[in-house]
Amino acid sequence: MRLLFAGLTTVDLVQRVQRFPGADEKVQSESVDVAAGGPAANAAVTAAALGATVTLVSVVGAHPLGDLVRADLAAHGVTLIDAAPDSPEPPPVSAVTVLATTGQRSIVSRNAGTRAVAAPAAGLPGADLTMVDGHHPVLALAAARSANRLLVDAGSWRPVFADIFPHAEVVACSGDFRHPGADPAMGDTAMGDFGHPGA
């Protein structure tokens, strides 16, 4: 199966600790890992590990940190198409602290910020299934519109989802996902509120 993933790629710095530090406090970590991360990249690595033919369209750029991302993705069998290969900006970095005893996480990240990146001039490759995460909205919408079948990773609301959801076969939301217009008194918001048929 050919899978296409379009969205965010980060550099993840992951440290495991016995307890989270308090304000103005340092703790020693038990381990440190540095790897490519982000919703689209993580999903691409997982799919490749399960045997799929995987292409990731994202933004990595020419910054030295991009070499780490490219090497990690290649080592996991993911073909990368960089939508902004000459960009001098560093890729987004996520600092992830994991509580070793429970797996709870504390994350500080920049994500894609306000960067506007279009789909590659050569277009997007064909795929049996496409997943988008809503980061890099112009790229995400182009991938959604060209998808044969579309899966959306909706960790949190992004304005572009209003245009993407009608194309989706499946929308996977986090427990914290909320449409900005939802009534907080209603609790969890049903996907039907977004006009996605059959959800």
Side-chain angles (χ1 to χ4, degrees), residues 83-141:
D86 299 322
S87 172
E89 298 181 44
V93 175
S94 291
V96 184
T97 305
V98 180
L99 196 59
T101 54
T102 65
Q104 292 174 293
R105 303 177 301 166
S106 175
I107 303 173
V108 178
S109 62
R110 176 74 176 112
N111 293 336
T114 57
R115 298 182 70 178
V117 179
L124 297 168
D128 300 305
L129 177 68
T130 298
M131 191 212 85
V132 300
D133 61 18
H135 293 273
H136 304 300
V138 177
L139 171 60
L141 186 55

Side-chain angles (χ1 to χ4, degrees), residues 16-44:
R16 290 169 178 79
V17 298
Q18 282 297 316
R19 64 181 182 85
F20 291 126
D24 297 323
E25 182 186 14
K26 293 181 180 180
V27 297
Q28 291 293 313
S29 65
E30 296 181 343
S31 65
V32 179
D33 294 300
V34 181
N42 285 337

Side-chain angles (χ1 to χ4, degrees), residues 11-16 32-37 65 68-69 72 93:
V11 175
D12 282 3
L13 171 63
V14 182
Q15 301 199 74
R16 290 169 178 79
V32 179
D33 294 300
V34 181
L65 283 176
L68 182 153
V69 171
D72 193 37
V93 175

Side-chain angles (χ1 to χ4, degrees), residues 39 51 70 72 98 103 122 143 174-175 196:
R70 281 183 285 274
D72 193 37
V98 180
S174 73
H196 177 234

